[in-house]
């Protein structure tokens, strides 16, 4: 339960990668902060999300001494495989462009690491505390109204509020509509996201382009694999039993030509509508946005968690400069700096969606887009310049 007297220099909403990294960096520099999280500790540590960390993300975590877990258990990854009616080819993107690689490390493991480090350093976090609204952000003493798990109300007062609580969180809801510009795009594509308790079937990320829709294969751990299946917009996850899932994956990944999948129970399944959403600016007075609260990006290019880590580091540096040295230049530049990276990531994500999916329309329009897609895949297979461009944007943020 909170009281009317709860205060912190920085109140952080949300205990995802952005919120916990921000809390760690502020705590390290002696900034009084608190993280408010509506879920339980068990929930955030078992919530399966992204698993591909970009080279820059790994550098940030190592630079701040927060990479023990990924140094121990993360696995570097540098190859993807494309399958289509024209055959298959592999792209060693780690040997192209800037020579950067991904590190495969499940997001729930990263969250667990960041949380443990934060708590070990004496950081404050309040689980089961739902932020309802941010008030007074136009001034220099904002407050956050909250509701505890038992329903009791409370309020936190701060100098700054960091909204890391997602697209539908209190931070976004609290910004007046006329104070921001929202850029939203529904890509018209729906995926069935799956976590299978089965070892990876490929030593690469697999992208299958098929007449029945896209299928994707992404390793998570030696015993767990993430799969995606493009499906109809009105799909219900419960309509896909395990047998149907494996039959469809086998068909689209063309196992008759390239070998069988290693199967197992599907432990988690959910429907994902591919959307992009960006807010500009990422600041409203003393309220700042980071992570999914700042921008939503489709999972087609594995950028969400990486953008969150980048934004959290930029925001931490800016808040530390302001609160310890009275230098507000970093806070003034925060939104513009982040949006440069966000829009670059959005552009590549949009390109990937076009590469992997057909487009609805008349027969002539559908054939046109299918031909464009085949041309993109051919260029990616045959053009070194295109491969270098892909490698730089695929791993970069």
């Amino acid at each position: 339960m909170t009281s009317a007297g709860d205060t912190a220099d920085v109140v952080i909403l949300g205990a995802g990668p952005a919120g916990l990294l921000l809390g760690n960096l502020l705590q390290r520099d002696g900034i009084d902060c608190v993280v408010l999280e509506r879920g339980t500790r068990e929930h955030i540590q078992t919530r399966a999300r992204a698993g591909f960390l970009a080279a820059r993300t790994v550098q940030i975590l190592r630079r701040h001494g927060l990479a023990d877990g990924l140094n121990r258990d993360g696995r570097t990854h540098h190859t993807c495989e494309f399958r289509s009616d024209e055959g298959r080819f592999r792209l060693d993107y780690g040997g192209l462009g800037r020579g950067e690689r991904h590190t495969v490390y499940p997001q729930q493991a990263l969250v667990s690491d960041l949380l443990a480090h934060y708590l070990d350093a004496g950081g404050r976090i309040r689980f089961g505390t739902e932020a309802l609204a941010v008030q007074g952000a136009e001034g220099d003493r904002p407050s956050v109204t909250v509701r505890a798990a038992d329903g009791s109300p409370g309020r936190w007062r701060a100098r700054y509020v960091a909204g890391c609580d997602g697209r539908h969180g209190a931070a976004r809801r609290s910004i007046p509509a006329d104070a921001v510009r929202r850029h939203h795009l529904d890509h018209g594509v729906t995926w069935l996201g799956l976590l299978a308790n089965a070892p990876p079937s490929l030593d690469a990320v697999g992208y299958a382009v098929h007449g029945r829709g896209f299928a994707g294969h992404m390793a998570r751990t030696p015993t767990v694999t993430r799969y995606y299946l493009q499906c109809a917009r009105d799909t219900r996850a419960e309509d896909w039993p395990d047998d149907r899932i494996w039959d469809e994956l086998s068909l689209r990944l063309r196992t008759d030509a390239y070998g069988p999948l290693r199967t197992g129970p599907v432990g988690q399944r959910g429907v994902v509508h591919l959307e992009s959403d960006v807010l500009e600016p990422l600041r409203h007075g003393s309220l700042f946005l980071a992570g999914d609260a700042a921008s939503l990006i489709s999972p087609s290019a594995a950028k969400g968690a990486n953008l969150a880590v980048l934004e959290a580091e930029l925001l931490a540096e800016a808040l530390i400069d302001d609160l310890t040295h009275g230098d507000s230049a970093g806070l003034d530049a925060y939104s513009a700096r982040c949006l440069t990276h966000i829009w670059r990531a959005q552009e590549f994500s949009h390109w990937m969606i076009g590469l992997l999916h057909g487009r609805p329309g008349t027969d002539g329009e559908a054939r046109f887009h299918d031909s464009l897609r085949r041309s993109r895949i051919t260029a990616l297979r045959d053009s070194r310049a295109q491969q270098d461009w892909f490698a730089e944007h695929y791993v970069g943020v």
Side-chain angles (χ1 to χ4, degrees), residues 115-192:
L115 177 60
H117 196 281
Y118 180 66
L119 293 174
D120 288 347
R124 289 191 291 167
I125 186 167
R126 300 292 184 268
F127 291 108
T129 301
E130 180 182 7
L132 302 177
V134 180
Q135 299 172 329
E138 296 83 359
D140 60 3
R141 296 302 298 177
S143 64
V144 182
T145 56
V146 301
R147 180 171 54 217
D150 62 4
S152 59
R155 182 182 298 272
W156 283 84
R157 290 176 170 81
R159 176 66 188 88
Y160 293 109
V161 177
C164 308
D165 53 343
R167 178 187 181 191
H168 301 294
R172 262 203 179 205
R173 294 197 309 267
S174 300
I175 300 176
D178 59 359
V180 291
R181 298 181 302 279
R182 182 189 179 202
H183 308 276
H184 178 263
L185 178 62
D186 185 335
H187 296 280
V189 175
T190 299
W191 284 357
L192 186 66

Side-chain angles (χ1 to χ4, degrees), residues 142-387:
S143 64
V144 182
T145 56
V146 301
R147 180 171 54 217
D150 62 4
S152 59
R155 182 182 298 272
W156 283 84
R157 290 176 170 81
R159 176 66 188 88
Y160 293 109
V161 177
C164 308
D165 53 343
R167 178 187 181 191
H168 301 294
R172 262 203 179 205
R173 294 197 309 267
S174 300
I175 300 176
D178 59 359
V180 291
R181 298 181 302 279
R182 182 189 179 202
H183 308 276
H184 178 263
L185 178 62
D186 185 335
H187 296 280
V189 175
T190 299
W191 284 357
L192 186 66
L194 310 161
L195 265 186
N197 295 306
S201 298
L202 297 170
D203 59 354
V205 174
Y207 295 111
V209 176
H210 193 277
R212 293 177 62 89
F214 163 75
H217 164 286
M218 293 86 181
R220 283 294 178 264
T221 73
T223 59
V224 175
T225 306
R226 168 71 81 181
Y227 286 98
Y228 290 109
L229 276 170
Q230 186 180 354
C231 55
R233 177 54 59 105
D234 60 355
T235 291
R236 300 184 307 167
E238 58 267 28
D239 292 337
W240 285 78
D242 286 16
D243 287 348
R244 183 184 179 191
I245 287 168
W246 290 115
D247 287 346
E248 196 66 24
L249 284 170
S250 296
L251 176 67
R252 298 189 195 182
L253 286 161
R254 297 173 172 84
T255 58
D256 56 340
Y258 306 124
L261 300 177
R262 303 172 75 180
T263 63
V266 178
Q268 185 183 104
R269 69 202 75 198
V271 176
V272 181
H273 302 305
L274 271 58
E275 298 178 83
S276 295
D277 198 275
V278 182
L279 228 57
E280 288 192 70
L282 305 181
R283 175 183 188 178
H284 179 62
S286 50
L287 169 62
F288 294 82
L289 303 180
D292 285 352
S295 68
L296 179 72
I297 192 166
S298 83
S300 60
K303 301 294 185 188
N306 294 295
L307 284 171
V309 168
L310 173 64
E311 292 156 9
E313 184 188 46
L314 292 175
L315 183 54
E317 292 171 348
L319 287 169
I320 291 166
D321 284 345
D322 180 86
L323 291 169
T324 60
H325 307 298
D327 182 357
S328 63
L331 291 178
D332 294 338
Y334 170 75
S335 180
R337 292 181 69 187
C338 289
L339 285 166
T340 297
H341 297 286
I342 287 170
W343 281 115
R344 186 177 183 186
Q346 290 284 0
E347 193 280 329
F348 181 70
S349 173
H350 189 268
W351 183 87
M352 282 289 289
I353 290 171
L355 179 75
L356 300 174
H357 305 89
R359 289 278 297 274
T362 66
D363 288 346
E365 290 172 335
R367 286 196 300 271
F368 182 85
H369 287 292
D370 281 343
S371 295
L372 283 180
R373 183 171 56 171
R374 284 195 297 272
S375 178
R376 288 172 178 157
I377 291 175
T378 299
L380 194 56
R381 183 191 64 203
D382 297 339
S383 168
R384 175 58 190 266
Q386 187 73 7
Q387 292 168 359

